[in-house]
Amino acid sequence: MTSLEFTSQVQKISLTLRPAAMNLTRDADDAKDLVQETLLKALLNKDKFKAGTNLKAWLYTIMRNTFINNYNKITKRSSNIDSTEYFQYFNTDQNYITHNGATSDFVVRDINEAIAGLGTDYRTPFMMYYIGYKYMEIAEKLQIPIGTVKNRIHIARKDLKAALQVYAPVGASAGSDASEAVED
């Protein structure tokens, strides 16, 4: 299928996309934007369309996925990262709570200091991951590659493990976990 044929077929089908977009968005302006974005994505990715398959279904799939992605972006954007969420569970470990609370106060203080000692580039993705964000969500929110997110979280965990070594079980060292102990 040539580019001209593809474009003309997409143009014919585009009229049938508007009612479906209206069904998804429930707003005329948003429906127009969704159809427009769908057509743009279809034209930019025409090389991914396989001739002989259902073009209309392909366009509807693009539109549905675009709507879902936009919806997810809007809901994630409206959720704020509150630093109080980071620390609400630190004081719940029964191993460090005593009757006067002194030991747990030291532990919480040490953890907070260790986290504060991380660079912002490492602390932010680590804390987002800690409160439940997925790698992809963190990457989108911070606008960095997912590999960078994974690396920064790994480095933050490693630094925190070293900084909090005093609380490690007897016999454990900062660099000895099962994944690093495997040898060829």
Side-chain angles (χ1 to χ4, degrees):
M1 173 181 307
T2 67
S3 274
L4 189 57
E5 291 171 340
F6 179 82
T7 305
S8 68
Q9 285 185 7
V10 167
Q11 195 172 24
K12 288 176 189 172
I13 295 172
S14 69
L15 299 174
T16 64
L17 293 176
R18 172 102 34 109
M22 188 65 180
N23 218 7
L24 290 170
T25 63
R26 308 272 190 242
D27 181 74
D29 291 333
D30 289 342
K32 287 179 188 175
D33 291 344
L34 181 59
V35 169
Q36 207 169 34
E37 194 171 347
T38 301
L39 295 175
L40 177 65
K41 286 183 178 181
L43 293 173
L44 291 174
N45 294 297
K46 66 183 168 208
D47 56 313
K48 295 179 183 172
F49 176 73
K50 292 182 176 46
T53 59
N54 189 344
L55 179 61
K56 190 174 185 178
W58 188 68
L59 290 171
Y60 276 98
T61 301
I62 292 172
M63 184 170 61
R64 181 180 43 88
N65 290 342
T66 301
F67 173 75
I68 291 169
N69 289 340
N70 289 342
Y71 177 80
N72 286 338
K73 284 179 188 174
I74 290 168
T75 57
K76 294 298 178 208
R77 194 178 306 143
S78 64
S79 65
N80 295 328
I81 301 172
D82 184 9
S83 61
T84 57
E85 290 179 42
Y86 298 156
F87 305 112
Q88 70 183 356
Y89 299 108
F90 284 151
N91 207 11
T92 60
D93 191 346
Q94 295 298 318
N95 295 329
Y96 299 115
I97 297 176
T98 62
H99 293 292
N100 65 8
T103 304
S104 64
D105 288 343
F106 288 126
V107 173
V108 171
R109 187 193 69 217
D110 289 348
I111 291 172
N112 289 338
E113 287 176 4
I115 291 171
L118 293 172
T120 305
D121 288 345
Y122 298 99
R123 183 176 52 244
T124 302
F126 173 78
M127 294 311 297
M128 289 175 74
Y129 181 77
Y130 175 76
I131 63 171
Y133 282 86
K134 305 287 185 227
Y135 289 130
M136 188 59 95
E137 295 170 332
I138 297 168
E140 288 174 3
K141 187 93 168 162
L142 299 178
Q143 297 179 347
I144 56 177
I146 192 167
T148 303
V149 169
K150 290 178 180 181
N151 186 44
R152 288 180 181 176
I153 291 170
H154 172 76
I155 291 171
R157 290 179 70 195
K158 190 174 172 183
D159 290 351
L160 289 172
K161 187 176 180 181
L164 299 169
Q165 182 60 35
V166 68
Y167 298 107
V170 177
S173 65
S176 67
D177 68 337
S179 65
E180 294 174 346
V182 176
E183 296 183 38
D184 291 2

